[in-house]
Amino acid sequence: MQQSLEEKVIVMHWLKIFVTILLLAIMHPGFAQASKVGTAAPDFTLEDLNGKSTTLQQFKGKVVLLDFWAPWCDPCRDGLPLLDALYRKYSTNGLVVM
């Protein structure tokens, strides 16, 4: 049975989340206390592709998908078209991909 676009993106991101949480927990034991389900994510500022500053707070009330990747990471690059398709499908419903 072939996975749908949404299923592929969900599996890819849960794997990334699991690995990230595992690494953070190993590197910083206080991480487990800092992130609780239901609490707001801390605000941060980053530069968008046009060099404009963007904050997480700007997207309050929307679904924000944060994806961390590197140009040398083949699985990360392979997942970008899936993220693009997901964004195109759901951006009108409030999905933000960063």
Coordinates of all heavy atoms in Angstrom, one line a residue:
M1 N 0.8 -1.2 0.0 CA 0.0 0.0 0.0 C 0.9 1.2 0.0 O 1.8 1.4 0.8 CB -0.9 0.0 1.2 CG -1.9 1.1 1.3 SD -3.1 0.8 2.6 CE -2.6 2.1 3.7
Q2 N 0.6 2.1 -0.9 CA 1.5 3.4 -1.0 C 1.0 4.4 0.0 O -0.2 4.6 0.2 CB 1.4 3.9 -2.4 CG 2.3 5.0 -2.7 CD 2.3 5.5 -4.1 OE1 1.5 5.0 -4.9 NE2 3.2 6.4 -4.4
Q3 N 2.0 5.0 0.6 CA 1.6 6.1 1.6 C 1.2 7.4 0.9 O 1.8 7.7 -0.1 CB 2.8 6.4 2.5 CG 3.1 5.3 3.5 CD 4.3 5.7 4.4 OE1 5.3 6.3 3.9 NE2 4.2 5.5 5.7
S4 N 0.3 8.1 1.5 CA -0.1 9.4 1.0 C 0.9 10.4 1.3 O 1.8 10.2 2.1 CB -1.5 9.8 1.6 OG -1.3 10.1 2.9
L5 N 0.8 11.5 0.7 CA 1.8 12.6 0.9 C 1.8 13.0 2.4 O 2.8 13.1 3.0 CB 1.3 13.9 0.1 CG 2.0 15.2 0.4 CD1 3.5 15.0 0.1 CD2 1.4 16.3 -0.4
E6 N 0.6 13.1 3.0 CA 0.5 13.5 4.4 C 1.2 12.5 5.3 O 1.9 12.8 6.3 CB -0.9 13.7 4.8 CG -1.6 15.0 4.3 CD -2.1 14.8 2.9 OE1 -2.1 13.7 2.3 OE2 -2.6 15.8 2.3
E7 N 1.0 11.2 5.0 CA 1.5 10.1 5.8 C 3.1 10.1 5.7 O 3.8 10.0 6.7 CB 1.0 8.8 5.4 CG -0.4 8.5 5.7 CD -1.0 7.3 5.1 OE1 -0.5 6.9 4.0 OE2 -1.9 6.7 5.7
K8 N 3.6 10.4 4.5 CA 5.1 10.4 4.4 C 5.6 11.6 5.2 O 6.7 11.4 5.8 CB 5.4 10.6 2.9 CG 5.2 9.4 2.1 CD 5.5 9.6 0.6 CE 5.2 8.4 -0.2 NZ 5.5 8.6 -1.7
V9 N 5.0 12.7 5.1 CA 5.5 13.9 5.8 C 5.4 13.7 7.3 O 6.3 14.0 8.1 CB 4.7 15.2 5.4 CG1 5.0 16.3 6.3 CG2 5.0 15.6 4.0
I10 N 4.3 13.1 7.8 CA 4.2 12.8 9.2 C 5.3 11.9 9.7 O 5.9 12.1 10.7 CB 2.8 12.3 9.5 CG1 1.7 13.4 9.3 CG2 2.7 11.6 10.9 CD1 0.3 12.9 9.3
V11 N 5.5 10.8 9.0 CA 6.5 9.8 9.4 C 7.9 10.5 9.4 O 8.7 10.3 10.3 CB 6.6 8.6 8.4 CG1 7.8 7.7 8.6 CG2 5.3 7.8 8.6
M12 N 8.2 11.3 8.3 CA 9.5 11.9 8.3 C 9.7 12.9 9.4 O 10.8 12.9 10.0 CB 9.6 12.7 6.9 CG 10.9 13.5 6.8 SD 10.9 14.5 5.3 CE 9.7 15.7 5.6
H13 N 8.7 13.7 9.7 CA 8.8 14.6 10.8 C 8.8 14.0 12.2 O 9.6 14.5 13.1 CB 7.8 15.7 10.7 CG 8.1 16.7 9.6 ND1 9.1 17.6 9.6 CD2 7.6 16.8 8.3 CE1 9.3 18.2 8.5 NE2 8.4 17.7 7.7
W14 N 8.1 13.0 12.4 CA 8.1 12.3 13.7 C 9.5 11.7 13.9 O 10.0 11.7 15.1 CB 7.0 11.3 13.8 CG 5.7 11.9 14.3 CD1 4.6 12.0 13.6 CD2 5.5 12.5 15.5 NE1 3.6 12.6 14.3 CE2 4.2 13.0 15.5 CE3 6.2 12.7 16.7 CZ2 3.6 13.6 16.6 CZ3 5.7 13.4 17.8 CH2 4.3 13.8 17.7
L15 N 10.1 11.2 12.9 CA 11.5 10.6 13.0 C 12.5 11.8 13.4 O 13.3 11.6 14.3 CB 11.9 9.9 11.7 CG 13.3 9.3 11.7 CD1 13.4 8.3 12.8 CD2 13.6 8.7 10.4
K16 N 12.4 12.9 12.7 CA 13.2 14.0 13.0 C 13.0 14.5 14.4 O 13.9 14.8 15.2 CB 13.0 15.2 12.0 CG 13.5 15.0 10.7 CD 13.3 16.2 9.9 CE 13.7 16.1 8.4 NZ 13.4 17.3 7.7
I17 N 11.7 14.6 14.8 CA 11.4 15.1 16.2 C 12.0 14.1 17.2 O 12.6 14.5 18.2 CB 9.9 15.2 16.3 CG1 9.4 16.4 15.5 CG2 9.5 15.4 17.8 CD1 7.9 16.5 15.4
F18 N 11.8 12.8 17.0 CA 12.3 11.8 17.9 C 13.8 12.0 18.1 O 14.3 12.0 19.2 CB 11.9 10.4 17.5 CG 12.5 9.3 18.3 CD1 12.0 9.1 19.6 CD2 13.6 8.6 17.9 CE1 12.6 8.1 20.4 CE2 14.2 7.6 18.6 CZ 13.7 7.4 19.9
V19 N 14.5 12.0 17.0 CA 16.0 12.1 17.1 C 16.4 13.4 17.7 O 17.3 13.5 18.6 CB 16.6 12.0 15.6 CG1 18.1 12.4 15.7 CG2 16.4 10.6 15.1
T20 N 15.7 14.5 17.4 CA 16.1 15.8 18.0 C 15.8 15.8 19.5 O 16.7 16.3 20.3 CB 15.2 16.9 17.4 OG1 15.5 17.0 16.0 CG2 15.6 18.3 18.0
I21 N 14.7 15.3 19.9 CA 14.4 15.2 21.4 C 15.4 14.3 22.1 O 15.9 14.7 23.2 CB 13.0 14.7 21.6 CG1 12.0 15.8 21.2 CG2 12.7 14.3 23.1 CD1 10.5 15.3 21.2
L22 N 15.7 13.2 21.5 CA 16.7 12.3 22.1 C 18.1 13.0 22.2 O 18.7 12.9 23.3 CB 16.9 11.0 21.2 CG 17.8 10.0 21.7 CD1 17.4 9.4 23.1 CD2 18.0 8.9 20.7
L23 N 18.5 13.7 21.2 CA 19.8 14.4 21.3 C 19.8 15.5 22.3 O 20.7 15.7 23.1 CB 20.2 15.0 19.9 CG 20.6 13.9 18.9 CD1 20.8 14.6 17.5 CD2 21.9 13.2 19.3
L24 N 18.7 16.3 22.3 CA 18.6 17.3 23.3 C 18.5 16.8 24.8 O 19.1 17.4 25.7 CB 17.3 18.2 23.0 CG 17.4 19.1 21.8 CD1 16.0 19.7 21.5 CD2 18.4 20.2 22.1
A25 N 17.8 15.7 24.9 CA 17.7 15.1 26.3 C 19.1 14.6 26.7 O 19.4 14.8 27.9 CB 16.7 14.0 26.3
I26 N 19.9 14.1 25.8 CA 21.2 13.6 26.2 C 22.1 14.8 26.5 O 22.9 14.8 27.4 CB 21.8 12.7 25.0 CG1 21.0 11.4 25.0 CG2 23.2 12.4 25.3 CD1 21.3 10.6 23.7
M27 N 22.1 15.8 25.6 CA 23.0 16.9 25.7 C 22.6 17.9 26.8 O 23.4 18.6 27.4 CB 23.1 17.7 24.4 CG 23.7 16.9 23.3 SD 23.9 17.6 21.7 CE 22.7 18.9 21.6
H28 N 21.3 18.0 27.1 CA 20.8 19.0 28.1 C 19.7 18.3 29.0 O 18.6 18.3 28.6 CB 20.3 20.2 27.5 CG 20.0 21.3 28.4 ND1 19.2 21.2 29.5 CD2 20.6 22.6 28.4 CE1 19.2 22.4 30.1 NE2 20.0 23.2 29.5
P29 N 20.1 17.7 30.1 CA 19.1 17.1 31.0 C 17.9 17.9 31.4 O 16.8 17.4 31.6 CB 19.8 16.6 32.2 CG 21.3 16.6 31.8 CD 21.4 17.7 30.7
G30 N 18.0 19.2 31.4 CA 17.0 20.1 31.8 C 15.9 20.3 30.7 O 14.8 20.8 31.0
F31 N 16.2 19.8 29.5 CA 15.3 19.9 28.4 C 13.9 19.3 28.7 O 12.9 19.8 28.4 CB 15.9 19.3 27.1 CG 14.9 19.3 26.0 CD1 14.6 20.4 25.3 CD2 14.3 18.1 25.6 CE1 13.7 20.4 24.2 CE2 13.4 18.1 24.5 CZ 13.1 19.2 23.8
A32 N 13.9 18.1 29.4 CA 12.7 17.4 29.7 C 11.8 18.3 30.5 O 10.6 18.2 30.4 CB 13.0 16.1 30.3
Q33 N 12.3 19.1 31.4 CA 11.5 19.9 32.3 C 11.0 21.2 31.6 O 10.0 21.7 31.9 CB 12.3 20.4 33.5 CG 12.7 19.2 34.4 CD 11.4 18.6 35.1 OE1 10.4 19.3 35.3 NE2 11.5 17.3 35.4
A34 N 11.8 21.6 30.6 CA 11.4 22.9 29.9 C 10.3 22.8 28.9 O 9.6 23.7 28.7 CB 12.7 23.4 29.2
S35 N 10.2 21.6 28.3 CA 9.1 21.5 27.3 C 8.0 20.5 27.7 O 8.2 19.3 27.9 CB 9.7 20.9 26.0 OG 10.3 19.7 26.2
K36 N 6.9 21.1 28.0 CA 5.7 20.3 28.4 C 4.6 20.5 27.3 O 4.4 21.6 26.8 CB 5.2 20.9 29.7 CG 6.2 20.9 30.8 CD 6.0 19.6 31.6 CE 7.0 19.7 32.8 NZ 7.3 18.5 33.4
V37 N 3.9 19.4 27.1 CA 2.8 19.4 26.1 C 1.8 20.5 26.6 O 1.4 20.6 27.8 CB 2.1 18.1 26.0 CG1 0.9 18.1 25.2 CG2 3.1 17.0 25.5
G38 N 1.3 21.3 25.7 CA 0.3 22.3 26.0 C 0.9 23.7 26.3 O 0.2 24.6 26.4
T39 N 2.2 23.8 26.5 CA 2.8 25.1 26.8 C 3.2 25.7 25.4 O 3.5 25.0 24.5 CB 4.1 25.0 27.7 OG1 5.0 24.1 27.0 CG2 3.7 24.4 29.0
A40 N 3.2 27.0 25.4 CA 3.6 27.8 24.2 C 5.1 27.6 23.9 O 5.9 27.6 24.9 CB 3.2 29.3 24.4
A41 N 5.4 27.5 22.7 CA 6.8 27.5 22.3 C 7.4 28.9 22.6 O 6.8 29.9 22.4 CB 6.9 27.1 20.8
P42 N 8.7 28.9 22.9 CA 9.3 30.2 23.2 C 9.5 30.9 21.8 O 9.7 30.3 20.8 CB 10.7 29.8 23.7 CG 10.9 28.4 23.4 CD 9.6 27.8 23.2
D43 N 9.3 32.2 21.9 CA 9.4 33.1 20.7 C 10.9 33.1 20.2 O 11.8 33.0 21.0 CB 8.9 34.5 21.0 CG 8.7 35.3 19.7 OD1 8.4 34.6 18.6 OD2 8.7 36.5 19.7
F44 N 11.1 33.2 19.0 CA 12.4 33.4 18.4 C 12.3 34.2 17.1 O 11.2 34.4 16.6 CB 13.1 32.0 18.1 CG 12.3 31.2 17.1 CD1 12.5 31.4 15.7 CD2 11.4 30.3 17.5 CE1 11.8 30.6 14.8 CE2 10.7 29.5 16.6 CZ 10.9 29.7 15.2
T45 N 13.4 34.7 16.7 CA 13.5 35.6 15.5 C 14.5 34.9 14.6 O 15.5 34.4 15.0 CB 14.0 37.0 15.9 OG1 13.1 37.5 16.8 CG2 14.0 37.9 14.6
L46 N 14.1 34.9 13.3 CA 15.0 34.4 12.3 C 14.8 35.2 11.0 O 13.9 36.0 10.9 CB 14.8 32.9 12.0 CG 13.5 32.4 11.6 CD1 13.2 32.6 10.1 CD2 13.4 30.9 11.9
E47 N 15.8 35.1 10.1 CA 15.7 35.8 8.8 C 15.0 34.9 7.8 O 15.4 33.8 7.7 CB 17.1 36.2 8.4 CG 17.4 37.6 8.2 CD 18.8 37.9 7.7 OE1 19.2 37.4 6.7 OE2 19.5 38.6 8.5
D48 N 14.1 35.5 7.0 CA 13.5 34.7 6.0 C 14.4 34.7 4.7 O 15.5 35.3 4.8 CB 12.0 35.2 5.7 CG 12.0 36.5 5.1 OD1 13.0 37.1 4.6 OD2 10.9 37.1 5.0
L49 N 13.9 34.1 3.6 CA 14.8 34.0 2.4 C 15.0 35.4 1.8 O 16.0 35.5 1.0 CB 14.1 33.1 1.4 CG 13.9 31.6 1.8 CD1 13.1 30.8 0.8 CD2 15.3 31.0 2.0
N50 N 14.2 36.4 2.2 CA 14.4 37.7 1.6 C 15.2 38.6 2.6 O 15.4 39.8 2.3 CB 13.1 38.4 1.3 CG 12.3 37.6 0.3 OD1 12.9 37.2 -0.7 ND2 11.0 37.4 0.5
G51 N 15.7 38.0 3.7 CA 16.5 38.8 4.6 C 15.7 39.6 5.7 O 16.2 40.4 6.4
K52 N 14.4 39.4 5.7 CA 13.4 40.1 6.6 C 13.3 39.3 7.9 O 13.2 38.1 7.9 CB 12.1 40.2 5.9 CG 11.0 40.9 6.8 CD 9.7 40.9 6.1 CE 8.6 41.4 7.0 NZ 7.3 41.1 6.6
S53 N 13.4 40.0 9.0 CA 13.2 39.3 10.3 C 11.8 38.8 10.5 O 10.9 39.5 10.2 CB 13.6 40.3 11.4 OG 15.0 40.5 11.5
T54 N 11.7 37.6 11.0 CA 10.4 37.0 11.2 C 10.5 36.4 12.6 O 11.5 35.8 13.0 CB 10.2 35.8 10.2 OG1 10.3 36.4 8.9 CG2 8.8 35.2 10.4
T55 N 9.3 36.5 13.4 CA 9.3 35.9 14.7 C 8.2 34.8 14.7 O 7.2 34.9 13.9 CB 8.9 37.0 15.8 OG1 7.6 37.5 15.5 CG2 9.9 38.1 15.8
L56 N 8.3 33.9 15.6 CA 7.3 32.9 15.8 C 6.0 33.5 16.3 O 4.9 33.1 15.8 CB 7.8 31.8 16.8 CG 6.8 30.7 17.0 CD1 6.6 29.9 15.7 CD2 7.4 29.7 18.1
Q57 N 6.1 34.6 17.1 CA 4.9 35.2 17.6 C 4.0 35.8 16.5 O 2.8 35.9 16.6 CB 5.3 36.4 18.5 CG 4.2 37.1 19.2 CD 3.4 36.2 20.2 OE1 4.0 35.3 20.7 NE2 2.1 36.5 20.4
Q58 N 4.6 36.1 15.3 CA 3.8 36.6 14.2 C 2.8 35.6 13.7 O 1.8 36.0 13.0 CB 4.7 36.9 13.0 CG 5.6 38.2 13.2 CD 6.5 38.3 12.1 OE1 7.7 38.0 12.2 NE2 6.1 38.8 10.9
F59 N 3.0 34.3 14.0 CA 2.1 33.3 13.5 C 1.2 32.7 14.5 O 0.6 31.6 14.4 CB 2.9 32.2 12.8 CG 3.9 32.7 11.8 CD1 5.2 32.8 12.0 CD2 3.3 33.1 10.6 CE1 6.1 33.2 11.0 CE2 4.2 33.6 9.6 CZ 5.5 33.7 9.8
K60 N 1.0 33.4 15.6 CA 0.1 33.0 16.7 C -1.2 32.6 16.2 O -1.8 33.4 15.4 CB 0.0 34.0 17.8 CG -0.6 33.5 19.1 CD -0.6 34.5 20.2 CE -1.2 33.9 21.4 NZ -0.9 34.7 22.6
G61 N -1.8 31.5 16.6 CA -3.1 31.0 16.1 C -3.0 30.2 14.9 O -4.1 29.7 14.4
K62 N -1.9 30.0 14.3 CA -1.7 29.2 13.1 C -1.0 27.9 13.5 O -0.3 27.8 14.5 CB -1.0 30.0 12.0 CG -1.7 31.2 11.5 CD -1.1 31.8 10.3 CE -1.9 32.9 9.8 NZ -1.7 33.2 8.5
V63 N -1.0 26.9 12.6 CA -0.2 25.7 12.7 C 1.1 26.0 12.1 O 1.2 26.3 10.9 CB -0.9 24.5 12.0 CG1 0.0 23.3 12.1 CG2 -2.3 24.3 12.7
V64 N 2.2 25.9 12.9 CA 3.5 26.2 12.4 C 4.3 24.9 12.4 O 4.5 24.2 13.5 CB 4.2 27.3 13.3 CG1 5.7 27.5 12.8 CG2 3.4 28.5 13.4
L65 N 4.9 24.5 11.3 CA 5.7 23.4 11.2 C 7.1 23.9 11.0 O 7.5 24.5 10.0 CB 5.3 22.6 9.9 CG 5.9 21.2 9.8 CD1 5.0 20.3 9.0 CD2 7.2 21.2 9.2
L66 N 8.0 23.6 12.0 CA 9.4 24.0 11.9 C 10.2 22.8 11.4 O 10.1 21.7 12.0 CB 9.9 24.3 13.3 CG 9.3 25.6 14.0 CD1 9.8 25.7 15.4 CD2 9.7 26.8 13.2
D67 N 10.9 23.0 10.4 CA 11.7 21.9 9.8 C 13.2 22.3 9.8 O 13.5 23.4 9.2 CB 11.2 21.6 8.4 CG 12.0 20.4 7.8 OD1 12.1 19.3 8.5 OD2 12.4 20.4 6.7
F68 N 14.0 21.6 10.4 CA 15.5 21.9 10.4 C 16.1 20.9 9.5 O 16.0 19.7 9.7 CB 16.0 21.7 11.9 CG 15.4 22.7 12.8 CD1 14.2 22.3 13.6 CD2 15.8 23.9 13.0 CE1 13.6 23.2 14.4 CE2 15.2 24.8 13.9 CZ 14.1 24.4 14.6
W69 N 16.9 21.4 8.6 CA 17.6 20.5 7.6 C 18.9 21.1 7.2 O 19.2 22.3 7.6 CB 16.7 20.3 6.4 CG 16.4 21.5 5.6 CD1 15.4 22.5 5.9 CD2 17.0 22.0 4.4 NE1 15.4 23.5 5.0 CE2 16.4 23.2 4.1 CE3 18.1 21.5 3.7 CZ2 16.8 23.9 2.9 CZ3 18.5 22.3 2.6 CH2 17.8 23.5 2.2
A70 N 19.7 20.4 6.6 CA 21.0 20.8 6.1 C 21.2 20.4 4.6 O 20.7 19.4 4.2 CB 22.1 20.2 7.0
P71 N 21.9 21.2 3.9 CA 22.1 20.9 2.5 C 22.8 19.6 2.2 O 22.6 19.0 1.2 CB 22.9 22.1 1.9 CG 23.3 22.9 3.1 CD 22.5 22.5 4.3
W72 N 23.6 19.1 3.1 CA 24.4 17.9 2.9 C 23.6 16.7 3.4 O 24.0 15.6 3.2 CB 25.7 17.9 3.7 CG 25.5 18.4 5.1 CD1 25.8 19.7 5.6 CD2 25.0 17.7 6.3 NE1 25.5 19.8 6.9 CE2 25.0 18.6 7.4 CE3 24.6 16.4 6.5 CZ2 24.6 18.2 8.6 CZ3 24.2 16.0 7.7 CH2 24.2 16.9 8.8
C73 N 22.4 16.9 3.9 CA 21.5 15.8 4.4 C 20.6 15.3 3.3 O 19.6 16.0 3.0 CB 20.8 16.3 5.6 SG 19.6 15.1 6.2
D74 N 20.9 14.2 2.7 CA 20.1 13.7 1.6 C 18.6 13.5 2.0 O 17.7 13.9 1.2 CB 20.7 12.5 0.9 CG 21.9 12.8 0.2 OD1 22.1 13.9 -0.3 OD2 22.8 11.8 0.0
P75 N 18.3 12.8 3.1 CA 16.9 12.6 3.5 C 16.2 13.9 3.7 O 15.0 14.1 3.4 CB 17.0 11.8 4.7 CG 18.3 11.1 4.7 CD 19.2 12.0 4.0
C76 N 16.9 14.9 4.3 CA 16.3 16.2 4.5 C 16.0 16.9 3.2 O 14.8 17.4 3.0 CB 17.3 17.1 5.2 SG 17.8 16.5 6.8
R77 N 16.9 16.8 2.2 CA 16.6 17.4 0.9 C 15.5 16.7 0.2 O 14.6 17.3 -0.5 CB 17.9 17.4 0.0 CG 18.8 18.5 0.4 CD 19.9 18.8 -0.7 NE 20.2 17.7 -1.5 CZ 21.3 16.9 -1.4 NH1 22.2 17.3 -0.5 NH2 21.6 15.9 -2.1
D78 N 15.5 15.3 0.3 CA 14.4 14.5 -0.3 C 13.0 14.9 0.2 O 12.1 14.7 -0.5 CB 14.7 13.0 -0.1 CG 15.9 12.5 -0.8 OD1 16.5 13.3 -1.7 OD2 16.4 11.4 -0.5
G79 N 13.0 15.3 1.5 CA 11.7 15.6 2.1 C 11.2 17.0 1.7 O 10.0 17.3 1.9
L80 N 12.0 17.9 1.1 CA 11.6 19.3 0.8 C 10.4 19.3 -0.2 O 9.5 20.1 0.1 CB 12.7 20.1 0.4 CG 13.8 20.4 1.4 CD1 15.0 21.2 0.9 CD2 13.2 21.1 2.6
P81 N 10.4 18.5 -1.2 CA 9.2 18.6 -2.1 C 7.9 18.2 -1.4 O 6.9 18.7 -1.7 CB 9.6 17.6 -3.2 CG 11.1 17.5 -3.2 CD 11.5 17.7 -1.8
L82 N 8.0 17.2 -0.4 CA 6.8 16.9 0.3 C 6.3 18.0 1.2 O 5.1 18.3 1.3 CB 7.1 15.7 1.2 CG 7.5 14.3 0.5 CD1 7.9 13.3 1.5 CD2 6.3 13.8 -0.2
L83 N 7.3 18.7 1.8 CA 6.9 19.9 2.6 C 6.3 21.0 1.7 O 5.3 21.6 2.1 CB 8.1 20.5 3.3 CG 8.7 19.7 4.5 CD1 9.9 20.4 5.0 CD2 7.6 19.6 5.6
D84 N 6.8 21.2 0.5 CA 6.3 22.2 -0.4 C 4.9 21.8 -0.8 O 4.0 22.6 -0.8 CB 7.2 22.3 -1.6 CG 6.7 23.3 -2.6 OD1 6.5 24.5 -2.1 OD2 6.5 23.0 -3.8
A85 N 4.6 20.5 -1.1 CA 3.3 20.1 -1.5 C 2.3 20.2 -0.3 O 1.2 20.6 -0.5 CB 3.3 18.6 -2.0
L86 N 2.8 19.9 0.9 CA 1.9 20.0 2.1 C 1.6 21.5 2.3 O 0.4 21.8 2.6 CB 2.7 19.5 3.3 CG 1.9 19.3 4.6 CD1 0.8 18.2 4.4 CD2 2.8 18.9 5.7
Y87 N 2.5 22.4 2.1 CA 2.3 23.8 2.3 C 1.3 24.3 1.3 O 0.4 25.0 1.6 CB 3.6 24.6 2.2 CG 3.4 26.1 2.2 CD1 3.0 26.7 3.4 CD2 3.5 26.8 1.0 CE1 2.8 28.1 3.4 CE2 3.2 28.2 1.0 CZ 2.9 28.8 2.2 OH 2.6 30.1 2.2
R88 N 1.5 23.9 0.0 CA 0.6 24.4 -1.0 C -0.8 23.9 -0.8 O -1.8 24.6 -1.1 CB 1.1 23.9 -2.4 CG 2.3 24.5 -2.9 CD 2.8 23.9 -4.2 NE 4.1 24.4 -4.6 CZ 4.3 25.4 -5.4 NH1 3.3 26.1 -5.9 NH2 5.5 25.8 -5.6
K89 N -1.0 22.7 -0.2 CA -2.3 22.1 0.0 C -3.0 22.8 1.2 O -4.2 23.0 1.2 CB -2.2 20.6 0.2 CG -3.5 19.9 0.4 CD -3.4 18.4 0.4 CE -4.7 17.8 0.5 NZ -4.6 16.3 0.5
Y90 N -2.3 23.1 2.3 CA -2.9 23.6 3.5 C -2.6 25.0 3.9 O -3.1 25.5 5.0 CB -2.5 22.6 4.7 CG -3.0 21.2 4.5 CD1 -2.2 20.2 4.1 CD2 -4.4 21.0 4.7 CE1 -2.7 18.9 3.9 CE2 -4.9 19.7 4.5 CZ -4.0 18.7 4.1 OH -4.6 17.4 3.9
S91 N -1.8 25.8 3.2 CA -1.5 27.1 3.6 C -2.7 28.0 3.7 O -2.7 28.9 4.5 CB -0.4 27.7 2.6 OG -1.0 27.8 1.3
T92 N -3.7 27.8 2.8 CA -4.9 28.6 2.9 C -5.7 28.3 4.2 O -6.6 29.1 4.5 CB -5.8 28.4 1.7 OG1 -6.1 27.0 1.6 CG2 -5.1 28.9 0.4
N93 N -5.4 27.2 4.8 CA -6.1 26.8 6.1 C -5.2 27.2 7.3 O -5.5 26.8 8.4 CB -6.3 25.3 6.2 CG -7.3 24.9 5.1 OD1 -8.2 25.7 4.7 ND2 -7.2 23.7 4.6
G94 N -4.1 28.0 7.1 CA -3.4 28.5 8.2 C -2.0 27.8 8.5 O -1.4 28.1 9.5
L95 N -1.6 26.9 7.6 CA -0.3 26.2 7.8 C 0.8 27.1 7.4 O 0.8 27.7 6.4 CB -0.3 24.9 7.0 CG 1.1 24.2 7.1 CD1 1.3 23.6 8.5 CD2 1.2 23.1 6.0
V96 N 1.8 27.2 8.3 CA 3.0 27.9 8.1 C 4.2 26.9 8.2 O 4.2 26.2 9.1 CB 3.2 29.0 9.1 CG1 4.6 29.7 8.9 CG2 2.1 30.0 9.1
V97 N 5.0 26.9 7.2 CA 6.2 26.0 7.2 C 7.4 26.9 7.3 O 7.6 27.8 6.5 CB 6.3 25.1 5.9 CG1 7.5 24.3 5.9 CG2 5.0 24.3 5.8
M98 N 8.2 26.6 8.3 CA 9.5 27.4 8.5 C 10.6 26.4 8.5 O 10.6 25.3 9.1 CB 9.5 28.1 9.8 CG 8.3 29.1 9.9 SD 8.3 29.9 11.5 CE 9.5 31.2 11.3

